[in-house]
Amino acid sequence: MKFDTPAGTNPIDRMQVIGKPTDRIDGPAKTTGTAPYAYEQNAAAPNAAYGHVIGAGIAKGRIRSIDLTEAKAAPGVITIVTAETAGKLGKGNMNTARLLGGPEVQHYHQAIALVVAETFEQARAAAALVRVDYAREQGRFDLNTALKAAPLKGDSSGEGSSAPPVDRVGDFEKAFAAAPVKLDAHYTTPDQSHAMMEPHATIAAWDGDRVTLWTSNQMIAWGKGEVAKTLGIPKDKVRLVSPYVGGGFGGKLFLRADAVLAALGAKAAGRPVKVALPRPLIANNTTHRPATSQRIRLGCKPDGTITAIAHESGSGDLPGGGPETAVAQTKLLYAGANRLTAMRLAVLDLPEGNAMRAPGEAPGMMALEIAMDEMAEKLGMDPVEFRILNDTQVDPAKPERKFSQRQLVECLKLGAARFGWDKRQAKPAQVRDGRWLVGMGVAAGFRNNMVMKSAARVGIDRKGVVTVATDMTDIGTGSYTIIAQTAAEVMGVPLEKVVVLLGDSDFPAAAGSGGQWGGNSSTAGVYAACMKLRDSVAQRLGFNSADAVFEGGKVRSGNRSVSLAEAAGDAGLSAEDAMEYGDLDKRYQQSTFAGHFVEAGVDAFTGEVRIRRMLAVCAAGRILNPKAARSQVIGAMTMGVGAALMEELAVDKRFGFFVNHDLAGYEVPVHADIPHQDVIFLDEADPMSSPMKAKGVGELGLCGVGGAIANAIYNATGVRVRDYPITLEKHLAGLPSIV
């Protein structure tokens, strides 16, 4: 099915199942521990051996030699895989570094060997006996130093956030120089880890020349192709199975070492092998969100109108990598006739940087939304009113290109009213609650809407049960449920009559989970398959498909009504289709918007920060399942608290690795850190997006939260911190005197 004209009235608009706050249908399996995650697929691959990954002990250099003598003689050892024994391997299109290093080492903890043994403990013990002699080389580990000579570099995150090396509209320099009110400020964000609950894990088994990987991966079709390319085998000889993923946040978008080494280990051992990356290797061996150094300049008229806006950002990555696209949202979020964005990319020898939830916008808005508050203060304006004044309904660089829908102003106004913004004291450090300094902060939220081709197969059996099969993944987002809701809505059956099968590369290829495109795109693919199946049902019954009504488990046309079970017959009926897209996303700017509001308390004695309450008002198209969507948003808001207050991968600039590479040293928010959170969804249905009229929401909940927290802390204390995370030592000395 081709979606190239705005969606008109269709079966989704009935909203009998879609749009209802529906419990997760996979909830019982997950809460009872019966949902099999990658490392637990023991029944599918019995008698599996265990692999333990050895990561490089240097960040840059070469391996002079590897002595495996003691390790091979250790109890239970079956085989040891190294680059020398693995044979020629390719490199996936989406990998920056090779997934099995040697003799060259490209980054710290790059996988250089896999020890396979009868038990995990035996594999781990034997791995400690492997002796590696390295020739260490000088590496580049300091972003600020490397940025001094870094070239301009444009790129795309692949998730809707992109920018050229330099982008100009009008004459920024002239307009900025002439602006009566100016801001020129520098902001930094640190390297961050995905820190998902489930580690990267895979069980691999060969059947002749065909390999099956039970793996934790967000993008099945991508992963299948990358496995084939890396191992040098045809794609039709690779199967990926990933029905449940215990969190990814972008860290499992791409093929990683666990999958490749499990496949190589299973080949060498002649039996299934299971591999899970230990927590330190998740930080250093996989991918992370790169640190940024950002400069923002704003020029305004005295009435608050932005006349000049510039956002420049620098980040680093391995050779061949790309920049963190932190300036992308600034091209679209606020009006301003004269504009400049630019990005620089430094070459570093740190572990690979890549997508992490809302790549680009998440760190970019952490800076931009502080800058907007700083300018509002210079102007003597309320921060909400300043943002509303500079709203735009068109792409500032292409005024003829309108937003399909844009309700940022409504998000800010409703949020301000619900949050009690009128009680905020404009002058900082004026509100106390016992020993706590209390302040409020606001930020806009912005994230582009992307759509991707997505396919599904839908069938009806002789009992009237509708089964959906697609390789779409559920990474904790509720894919099972919204896909079931879509099929139930279109086919006119109750939810309990729908079975959903996900995460198998033998199924039709879906959009996968990433970039907040998954929900809208995958359900649109299911919609396409269901509509094709409806045509087949109508044709079998001799009905006019345009007149046929599907509801209550039956199909009706005129005075005739037939159950879907009867229409399917003993043989059943099935249909497969994909949703493909035309150029509506080119003709209309499709984005999602939010207003984020935060109240924070800062201990007047210690500088400790406590979030007291949070609110997000979101405009993100039709909300397919408000209950699941709320969970996505509050999870993103929680991630925003982490980014603002505690998350930072500390770089050892001598040896080039992330020091705090476990959950003891890399701090993330826990329940005690998170207060009551409110989420409001505006009533919206975007006909330019898809037949579902939905848009993504999972990353919108993160974009802007860090800025709102920073602004609340400033309002509480009067101390402006521009370097994340905002830990207590950064504002302690400037706190108001205690009386």
Side-chain angles (χ1 to χ4, degrees), residues 94-96 157 194 250 253-254 256 287-290 317 324 352-356 359:
M94 301 171 188
N95 295 129
T96 304
S157 68
H194 303 85
L253 285 172
F254 316 118
R256 299 310 311 169
T287 62
H288 69 283
R289 190 197 301 282
D317 203 358
E324 181 74 10
E352 182 176 343
N354 215 311
M356 181 170 159

Side-chain angles (χ1 to χ4, degrees), residues 258-273:
D258 61 297
V260 171
L261 290 176
L264 293 172
K267 189 82 166 180
R271 60 191 270 198
V273 168

